[in-house]
Amino acid sequence: MSSLRKTYLFYVFPVCLLLLLSGCSSEETKKVDATPKEVTLTFWFDDAGPLRNAIWEEMIAAFEEEYPHIHIEYKGFVKNIAKAKFNSALAMQSLPDVGSIYTSWLPEYTYREALVPLDSYFENWAEGDKIAPSVINYNRHLTQDQKLYGLPYTRNMDVLWVRKDWLADYGLETIETWDDFFHTVETFTDKAQQQYGYSIRGGEGSSLQLQRMMYAYSGISTYIENGESTIDDPRHVEFLEKYLSLYGLHTSQNDIVKDYKGMLDDFEHGAVGLIQHNIGSYAQHQKVLSSDQFESLPLPKSVDGHYTVEAGNTMDMVMFEGTKHPKEAWTFISFIASQKGQSQWNKRVGQLPTHQEVLQEDWVQNSPHLQTALSVYENPQTKMYEPPFYLIGYNSIRYTIVEPGLQEVLSGTKTIEQFLEDWSEAIENEYDQYENFMPKHRSAE
């Protein structure tokens, strides 16, 4: 063995080996360091039920498979207690990391500094430009600082759900006008058979549905004008005189306390031939009725001849202040709002995605009830009215004045004029307080 080779074997090789091992060790260290830290996020949902809980379990399982270092602890609340749960958690400073909330909650929670702005995350997200600009802009428009606090992942709309087989049995074609609507309700009613033409939701949640019907009829697209609410507009009085006269005559007396579950149950089991509810109830209907038994129709055009629908009828993924894992929280939020996430969630629930590429998928193109909603949203003549979600007391007015007030009208202890006057006055008082407290805002009104 040459002296040079000996030198190599005894000195150079061990050094190289050490360097190599050191390098391997360094690489191993890097790999260990690069391993994502395991994180658990809490996630609350504001509109839970057996079907939607099951869907979230599937969604979370898919997310955890793709991001095994992030574990999601899910908690769903039924709609009528969800707000109280979130509010209580806010008061106790125990909010979850991530939530799904209604768009109407955004102004209140941003005012209470409960939400993290998502703008910086959204602007760097590869799919950000795929989300409908209209819903992003609307969410920004809702808050005082015009930042994005909620990422909309699903969109809704109230429609008429009608028994298609009943239309055929009674020789009726469809419902296009308000005259068609009232004629169909009367024609469907057969009290001897305990069959009613319509169901008026008089119980929990009645206020939003009633408001959507009123503005659909009147065609009014301005909710507050020069500080005055349009709630008590004569066209709304005219509509409610016709609409609420159906109660007891072409509806069940029990409608005065009926919530959406009771309403849907009557429709699906043949007690009622026509209801007003959102497109999201499709998933429930199709479990009981066959596709040739029911269909969705738009709320009729207004007396002015155009569709009028509520703006901001979306649900949003939000990040709550106090989360210790904002990066992982955004990973989950963006997963739900992505093409993959929106396609899975909206397909199962039966609502409209906000992701433009999901809207082009076959299941959307071949869903009649989604096409019904799109035909209204995409109609160039359609007008949108904007409820004043920014008024902190807006939801409280719904629960404490509108819903009990409607029951008083149905029970005959209050006139329609007084009901609308009370409702309108409450909105105007709340608006005055808002104007005085927050003078900087909204030129739109």
Side-chain angles (χ1 to χ4, degrees), residues 257-297:
V257 293
K258 197 166 288 178
D259 62 8
Y260 86 97
K261 290 180 181 175
M263 194 172 61
L264 265 57
D265 190 59
D266 283 351
F267 176 72
E268 290 158 1
H269 293 89
V272 169
L274 177 64
I275 60 171
Q276 169 213 3
H277 200 249
N278 59 55
I279 55 176
S281 58
Y282 169 79
Q284 293 292 332
H285 301 329
Q286 58 92 30
K287 290 197 297 186
V288 180
L289 301 171
S290 59
S291 59
D292 60 349
Q293 288 182 299
F294 74 106
E295 65 178 330
S296 64
L297 299 170

Side-chain angles (χ1 to χ4, degrees), residues 218 220 229-238 420:
S218 70
I220 296 171
S229 165
T230 55
I231 284 290
D232 57 351
D233 186 275
R235 280 170 284 184
H236 293 155
V237 177
E238 175 184 281
L420 293 179

